[in-house]
Amino acid sequence: MRFDLLGPFNVVHDGRPVVLRGATQRAVLAYLLLRHNEVIATSTLLQAIWADDIPATARKMVQNAVSGLRATLAQRTGAAEQAMLLTHAPGYLLRVDSDQVDVSRFRRLATEGRTAQAGGEVDRAVSAYRDALALWRGPVLADLTETGVVWPELVALEDQRIAVHEDLFGLELDRGHHHEVLTDLRGMAEANPNRERLNAQLMTALYRCGRHVDALEVYRATRASLAEGLGLEPGKELRELERAILQHDEALLTRRPEPAPRPEPVPSAEPTPVVEPLPFAPAPVIALPRTEPVESERKPVVAIGVALAATPDDDPEEAVEVQARLRTVVEEEALAAGAHLPGESGPVVLALFGLPRTDDDDAVHATRTALRIHDRLATAGIATQIGVDSGDVLVEFTTAGPGQVAGPVLDRCVRSALRAPEGRIRVSDVVREASEPSVVHEASEDSPGWWHAVSARQHPVAEPADPGGFVGREHDLDLLSHLLGFVERGGRPHRVTVLGEPGIGKSRLLAEFAETLSEQPRIRVLDAGADVAEAFAVVPGLLPQTASRLRTEGGDSALRAAAGELTAFGPLVVLADDLHRADLDTRDAVDRLGEACSGLPVLIVASARPGLLEAEHGERCGTTVSLAPLSDDAVGKLLDKLLPGTARLIRGRQELIGRIGGNPRFAHAYAQGVHGKTTPFPGLGQAMTPPLVRRTLAAQLDNLPAAEKSLLKAASLTGDAFTAEDVAAVCGRDSAEIEGTLSRLASLSVLRREDDDAGYTFRRSTLRELVYQRIPRATRTALLRRPTAPRRVEALA
C-alpha cells in the first residue's frame, strides 16, 4: 500500500486507488500519516480536524473513522507492510513502513542530497534533490486544504520543499546551468517574493543569461515586497549582489569547477543495455532517463543576419576591428531583447528569436531589434546589410539550454543579409505580415516578394472594426457594467484585470465596454496608453493648471487632483489594454492609480495575458476575470457573419469550429484564408492553418510547464482521443501521475475531457498537429515502433 500526501491525498493498493469513506476518515488518516509511528492524542486529532469549532459528537466521529480505517487497512495490508492503526493511550498510533509514505521518502532523499553535497558529490546530490522534488504532485494534501484544513505540518513541509529547491538551484548555478533552471527558478521566486535566497539565485541566473536589467528589477521587487509586507530591508548578501551587478563584477560569472570524473568501471561480460532516447524534456510527470543528455525538437524561429556592407580592402587590422564592433552591437541588442546567439556564419552574425521559448511577437521583437542594430551602427559610421527571415529549425537542447541549431532558414537569412541593399533591412513577406502594424515596411523594388523595414511604431494604429461584431461575451460585459455600478454607489476605486490567451477577445471586450459608455456623457472614459499621466492630461474639460501639473509632476497627488475633477458629475473609467506589453513605469502607474484615487468612483479595467504580469502586480489586480474560449455556438454565430452561406456545409464547418477552438482571432484568421481561395466552400474544414494561429499556439505551448509540454508530445502520438494509459504506453510513466496532468491541462482549456469516457482530446486539432510536428521524424518513428505504443496512432500532416 502506498500513501501519497504530496499533492491530492491518495491511497493506492496494487496500483489501484483505495476509496475512503467520508471527509472525517480522510482527515484522520492524513493527520496520522503526517506523524506516523508516533502516538497522537485524541484531543490533538480533534483540534486538528475541527480547530475551534469542535462538535459535541466529535470523539464518536473519530472513533467511527478509526474503525472504518482499520477495516480498510486490514483488507489491503499484508504482514510485510506492517500498516496497522492501533489504540494507544492517550490516542492512536499508525504503524507503517516509512517507505510507504511519500513524505518520508521526500525527507530521506533530501537528507541524502545534503549529505552528498557536503561530501562534494554534486551529481549524486542533484539526482537526490530531483528525485525528492519529483514526488510532489501539487500542494501538500491539496484536496483537504480546499476544505479549510490548516495544519502547521503542512507549512513546514512546504518550507522544506522550497529549501530543497534552493539547494538544487544553488548546485545547478555552481555548475553553470543557469539557462536550464531559469524558468523554474523564476516561478519559485515569484511564488515566494520574500525568500531572499531564491531571489538572489534568480538575480544571478538572469545576470549570467545577459539579462542585467531584469536581474536588477528582481532586486527592486524583492525590496518592495519586504518593505510593504514585513517592514524590512533586504539582507546584506542581497544588497551586495545588487552592487556587484551594477558594477558588472566578473566574479558573478564564475562558477565552481565540475567535480572530477569518476574512474571508468571495469567492463563486464554482459553488454550495458542501451537506453532508448525519448523526445521529451526531463519533467516531474514524464521525465526522460537521466542518461539522455540532449533532446531534439523542431521549433519556429525568426532569424536576423547582420553583415558589413563594405570592409576595408587593404587594412586587415581595421577590418577585424570593424567586424568586432559590429558583433558587439549585435550581441548587446540581441541579448537585451532575449534572443539566442548561435554564432557567426561566415561574414554574417546571426541572432535567433524563439529559443528557448516561442513568443507570438517574435517577428515584432526581431524586426525592432534589427532596426536598433542598424541605427547604432549607422551612428558609428558602419554601413550594414541586414536580413530577417523565419522558418523551422532543429534544435538540440542540452542541460545548459539550446545547443546546435540547424535549418534552411539560417542559410536563407545569410543569403538575404548579403543580398540586402546597403543600409537597408531586408524582410521576408512572412515576417512582414507578422510584424505589422508595429513596424512600418515598404516594398522592395529590386526583389519582388521582399520588403524593407523602415521604422517601428511606438503606438501601433488601431485595428479595423471587427466585421464579426461582438459575440459570446455578453456576460463578461454585464459583469463590467455591474462593477461600474458598484464603484459609483460605493464612491471608491476598484481594479478589474481581464486575463486571457492572445486573440481570446480581451481588447474587443474593453472596446465594447467603452462603446456602451459613450452615450452617457456623465461617465468619463480614458485610455491609459503608455503614459497614464498624459492620458489624464489630454481629457477635455480638465482645468489647464491641472493638466500642466500632470505633465510636470506626474505624481499620485496630481493624478488624484485630475481624477477629482473628472469624477465631479459621474464615475471615471480608465482602460489599460495589453498591460503585459507595457513597460514597468506604466504598470506601476496603473497599479498606483487605485491608491491615488482613494475615495473617488474610479473603475480601472486592465487586460493582460495569464502569467506574464510580474508577481508584484498580482496583489493589486482586484477582481480578476479570466476569459474562457467561446462556445461552439458562439463561434458558429461568428462564422455566420464572417463566412455567409457556409451554414449548410455541416461537416467542414464543424471541423473548422474545432480548429478555431473558441478563439475569435483564430476565426478571423481562418475566414481570411478561406476567402482567399478560389473555391473556398468544398475545402472549408481543410483550410490551411494561418501563420497567426501557428505563432499563437506555438507560444502557448512553450509557456506551459515542462512536464505538461512533455506529456502533450506523448499524447500527440496516440490518436484523436486518448487516455492516461495510452500516453503511459508511449512515455513509460505511471498512468496515475499522467491522469493528474491531463486533468490540469483540461482545466486550462488545452485539452477537452470527453463525456463518453473516451478519455481526452486536444481542444484544437491544430495544436495537436503543431505538437506532433515538434517531434523529429526519426524519433517519432522509433517511438511508434515500440511494442508498448498504441496501435491506433494516426499519421498527421
Side-chain angles (χ1 to χ4, degrees), residues 447-783:
S447 301
W450 289 82
W451 300 75
H452 294 144
V454 178
S455 62
R457 285 192 175 100
Q458 295 300 320
H459 305 290
V461 296
E463 296 183 359
D466 183 357
F470 188 68
V471 176
R473 297 290 182 210
E474 291 79 11
H475 292 300
D476 300 302
L477 187 61
D478 289 343
L479 176 59
L480 293 181
S481 299
H482 173 76
L483 290 171
L484 178 58
F486 166 78
V487 165
E488 185 172 12
R489 290 189 301 272
R492 60 179 183 270
H494 189 72
R495 163 83 173 269
V496 185
T497 304
V498 180
L499 300 177
E501 66 182 31
I504 203 66
K506 303 183 296 295
S507 299
R508 187 71 177 87
L509 176 62
L510 267 61
E512 188 69 20
F513 185 48
E515 181 67 23
T516 61
L517 301 177
S518 62
E519 300 177 358
Q520 304 181 50
R522 67 185 187 83
I523 301 177
R524 298 295 188 93
V525 181
L526 64 86
D527 184 353
D531 189 330
V532 176
E534 180 64 22
F536 272 79
V538 298
V539 176
L542 199 66
L543 293 176
Q545 58 267 33
T546 307
S548 175
R549 183 181 173 191
L550 279 167
R551 291 190 172 97
T552 55
E553 299 178 11
D556 291 354
S557 59
L559 284 173
R560 178 174 178 78
E565 294 180 16
L566 297 175
T567 57
F569 303 102
L572 171 67
V573 177
V574 181
L575 303 178
D577 196 15
D578 285 342
L579 199 57
H580 54 275
R581 299 184 189 277
D583 56 31
L584 290 175
D585 290 339
T586 301
R587 294 186 194 178
D588 286 338
V590 173
D591 283 347
R592 296 196 313 271
L593 192 54
E595 299 175 5
C597 299
S598 177
L600 297 173
V602 179
L603 179 65
I604 306 149
V605 185
S607 72
R609 296 178 187 173
L612 294 184
L613 289 178
E614 295 293 337
E616 65 186 274
H617 301 268
E619 297 179 358
R620 301 179 180 177
C621 284
T623 300
T624 300
V625 179
S626 296
L627 296 187
L630 294 179
S631 66
D632 288 353
D633 289 342
V635 174
K637 292 178 182 179
L638 185 57
L639 289 178
D640 287 340
K641 299 179 180 181
L642 298 174
L643 296 173
T646 62
R648 58 186 176 81
L649 304 173
I650 298 176
R651 181 176 179 181
R653 180 185 172 88
Q654 285 303 118
E655 186 176 344
L656 185 57
I657 288 175
R659 287 179 169 271
I660 291 170
N663 189 302
R665 187 183 296 174
F666 289 5
H668 284 264
Y670 275 108
Q672 291 175 0
V674 170
H675 277 307
K677 292 186 177 181
T678 307
T679 57
F681 293 167
L684 184 64
Q686 289 75 39
M688 181 179 295
T689 304
L692 180 147
V693 176
R694 294 185 63 84
R695 291 196 305 271
T696 304
L697 292 180
Q700 290 178 0
L701 178 62
D702 280 348
N703 281 327
L704 289 173
E708 296 174 0
K709 178 181 173 182
S710 180
L711 183 143
L712 287 178
K713 289 182 181 180
S716 72
L717 295 167
T718 59
D720 283 338
F722 50 88
T723 64
E725 289 73 17
D726 294 332
V727 178
V730 174
C731 61
R733 300 295 296 178
D734 181 66
S735 59
E737 297 176 355
I738 292 176
E739 178 65 37
T741 305
L742 292 176
S743 180
R744 286 196 297 275
L745 289 168
S747 68
L748 295 172
S749 297
V750 176
L751 301 178
R752 191 200 309 266
R753 191 191 298 270
E754 297 300 314
D755 296 332
D756 55 0
D757 295 329
Y760 299 84
T761 59
F762 281 84
R763 181 173 182 85
R764 298 185 180 97
S765 57
T766 310
L767 178 61
R768 182 194 169 202
E769 295 169 7
L770 186 148
V771 174
Y772 180 88
Q773 291 162 3
R774 284 282 185 97
I775 308 172
R777 284 190 293 269
T779 309
R780 287 185 225 150
T781 303
L783 284 172

Side-chain angles (χ1 to χ4, degrees), residues 267-595:
S268 61
E270 295 294 329
T272 303
V274 178
V275 178
E276 182 181 8
L278 295 177
F280 314 118
V285 175
I286 48 175
L288 284 178
R290 289 191 177 83
T291 52
E292 181 59 29
V294 296
E295 172 205 4
S296 295
E297 185 177 52
R298 293 170 60 110
K299 284 183 64 69
V301 299
V302 180
I304 301 177
V306 184
L308 289 174
T311 57
D313 295 329
D314 300 326
D315 191 340
E317 293 185 33
E318 184 178 351
V320 170
E321 181 181 348
V322 172
Q323 183 69 21
R325 293 174 65 187
L326 178 144
R327 183 171 58 253
T328 298
V329 170
V330 173
E331 290 178 353
E332 288 178 355
E333 292 293 340
L335 290 174
H340 173 70
L341 297 169
E344 296 185 33
S345 183
V348 179
V349 181
L350 294 172
L352 304 181
F353 286 78
L355 295 178
R357 295 169 62 178
T358 302
D359 190 316
D360 62 315
D361 288 338
D362 280 335
V364 175
H365 298 319
T367 311
R368 285 183 166 179
T369 302
L371 286 165
R372 289 195 297 271
I373 292 172
H374 167 271
D375 293 345
R376 280 188 60 182
L377 291 171
T379 302
I382 301 176
T384 58
Q385 299 168 274
I386 302 178
V388 187
D389 204 346
S390 65
D392 286 352
V393 294
L394 186 64
V395 188
E396 285 188 350
F397 285 98
T398 69
T399 55
Q404 183 176 348
V405 182
V409 64
L410 304 184
D411 298 331
R412 292 201 311 269
C413 189
V414 170
R415 291 195 297 268
S416 177
L418 295 176
R419 292 173 183 172
E422 180 176 334
R424 304 303 299 269
I425 302 173
R426 193 169 186 257
V427 176
S428 69
D429 188 58
V430 175
V431 173
R432 188 270 313 168
E433 183 271 336
S435 57
E436 289 184 337
S438 298
V439 178
V440 179
H441 301 84
E442 61 182 30
S444 173
E445 297 179 356
D446 55 343
S447 301
W450 289 82
W451 300 75
H452 294 144
V454 178
S455 62
R457 285 192 175 100
Q458 295 300 320
H459 305 290
V461 296
E463 296 183 359
D466 183 357
F470 188 68
V471 176
R473 297 290 182 210
E474 291 79 11
H475 292 300
D476 300 302
L477 187 61
D478 289 343
L479 176 59
L480 293 181
S481 299
H482 173 76
L483 290 171
L484 178 58
F486 166 78
V487 165
E488 185 172 12
R489 290 189 301 272
R492 60 179 183 270
H494 189 72
R495 163 83 173 269
V496 185
T497 304
V498 180
L499 300 177
E501 66 182 31
I504 203 66
K506 303 183 296 295
S507 299
R508 187 71 177 87
L509 176 62
L510 267 61
E512 188 69 20
F513 185 48
E515 181 67 23
T516 61
L517 301 177
S518 62
E519 300 177 358
Q520 304 181 50
R522 67 185 187 83
I523 301 177
R524 298 295 188 93
V525 181
L526 64 86
D527 184 353
D531 189 330
V532 176
E534 180 64 22
F536 272 79
V538 298
V539 176
L542 199 66
L543 293 176
Q545 58 267 33
T546 307
S548 175
R549 183 181 173 191
L550 279 167
R551 291 190 172 97
T552 55
E553 299 178 11
D556 291 354
S557 59
L559 284 173
R560 178 174 178 78
E565 294 180 16
L566 297 175
T567 57
F569 303 102
L572 171 67
V573 177
V574 181
L575 303 178
D577 196 15
D578 285 342
L579 199 57
H580 54 275
R581 299 184 189 277
D583 56 31
L584 290 175
D585 290 339
T586 301
R587 294 186 194 178
D588 286 338
V590 173
D591 283 347
R592 296 196 313 271
L593 192 54
E595 299 175 5

Side-chain angles (χ1 to χ4, degrees), residues 66-90:
V66 168
S67 178
L69 289 170
R70 281 175 176 159
T72 300
L73 295 174
Q75 292 173 4
R76 295 175 174 85
T77 305
E81 291 179 298
Q82 297 182 348
M84 292 186 292
L85 181 49
L86 308 174
T87 300
H88 195 298

